[in-house]
Amino acid sequence: MTQIRGLAVADCRGLTRRGRGQAAYTAMHLAASTGADSSFDVLYASPRRRCVESAEPVAKALNLDVVFAPALRSLDHGPGDPWDPASNAIGTIRLLAHDAAALPGAECWARNRQRAGGFLGALAARHSGRSVLIIAHAETQDAALAAYFGLAPDSGARAYEITWHTGISRWRHHRQVWPGAHEGGAWALLAHNDVRHLAGTGLEPHDTCWPRTTRI
C-alpha cells in the first residue's frame, strides 16, 4: 500500500483525460523497465494537483510512497488565475524576462530555478547511492540543467530545452577521480525528454513550441 506524505496543493484543474492516459502509460513503462538492479528507492513529486494525479498511478505501479516536495512546485503565479478555462492553458511564463514576474505578486523565472535547483542540487548528498524518481514540471528539468551545468539566470534567452508531458530524463551522479574534479561530484545527463513509452498509444506529445504556452 503506497502512502502520500506532505501537503498537496489543489491549485490547478488537474490532468485532462489525455494527461491521465499519459500518466497511466508512464506508470506501466516505469514498472516494466525496473527490476532488481534498477528499481527506485525514493519518489518525490511536486504538490501541484496535476503532479499529484500523475504520481498516483506511478506510486501504485512501483509500490512506493510519494513524498511531496514544495520546492519542486512550478512557478507561483500569485493571487491571479493564469489559466484559460477554454484551452486549459497557462501563458504567463516569461522565460526571456527571467527576473520579472508575469503577474503582480507572482514568482519570477530566476527565483523558480533557484528554488527547484537548490532542492535538486542537494539530492546527491541526501540520497547517496540511491535511485530517486521525481515527478514534477518542465520547469523542474530546466532547473536541473541550470543547477547541474551552472547556467546563468538569463541562459533561456539564448537556448532552452523542451520537455513534453511525461517526458523522461535520466541523470547519474558520480565521483570523478581525475585532477581538477569537483569535490561534490558531477552529474551526467543520460537521457532527456524520452517519450517512447507513448509511441503508438495515440497520446504522443503535440509538436508545440514550448514555452510559448504550457498545456496541461
Side-chain angles (χ1 to χ4, degrees):
M1 178 70 69
T2 58
Q3 296 180 349
I4 295 178
R5 290 187 281 144
L7 178 63
V9 180
D11 60 350
C12 73
R13 295 176 176 83
L15 295 178
T16 61
R17 181 177 179 180
R18 180 182 181 86
R20 290 192 294 273
Q22 291 174 330
Y25 275 105
T26 303
M28 289 188 289
H29 168 74
L30 291 173
S33 60
T34 57
D37 298 325
S38 60
S39 60
F40 293 102
D41 302 300
V42 182
L43 171 55
Y44 284 110
S46 161
R48 302 296 192 201
R49 179 178 172 185
R50 55 193 182 275
C51 289
V52 174
E53 294 176 357
S54 297
E56 288 173 346
V58 174
K60 183 177 181 180
L62 299 180
N63 194 30
L64 287 174
D65 294 345
V66 184
V67 181
F68 288 110
L72 293 176
R73 68 191 185 277
S74 57
L75 284 166
D76 292 329
H77 297 286
D81 184 2
W83 264 268
D84 173 16
S87 63
N88 198 25
I90 179 172
T92 62
I93 299 175
R94 294 182 181 175
L95 182 59
L96 301 183
H98 66 278
D99 56 352
L103 294 171
E107 182 179 43
C108 68
W109 187 267
R111 173 55 187 158
N112 176 268
R113 265 190 173 188
Q114 181 183 37
R115 165 168 54 76
F119 180 91
L120 297 168
L123 284 176
R126 186 182 300 128
H127 298 292
S128 178
R130 307 181 78 192
S131 295
V132 179
L133 176 61
I134 294 175
I135 296 177
H137 309 273
E139 298 99 313
T140 312
Q141 176 65 354
D142 176 84
L145 289 166
Y148 298 157
F149 286 117
L151 301 180
D154 63 348
S155 62
R158 298 182 299 277
Y160 59 89
E161 51 81 28
I162 296 292
T163 300
W164 285 319
H165 299 145
T166 70
I168 298 173
S169 297
R170 299 180 186 274
W171 293 86
R172 180 178 64 200
H173 184 268
H174 62 102
R175 301 284 178 178
Q176 298 171 321
V177 296
W178 50 79
H182 194 280
E183 63 180 11
W187 288 93
L189 180 58
L190 305 180
H192 170 65
N193 197 28
D194 185 352
V195 290
R196 287 176 292 178
H197 56 283
L198 298 179
T201 66
L203 300 172
E204 296 85 353
H206 297 301
D207 189 14
T208 56
C209 184
W210 183 92
R212 188 176 302 164
T213 59
T214 298
R215 296 186 179 277
I216 307 303

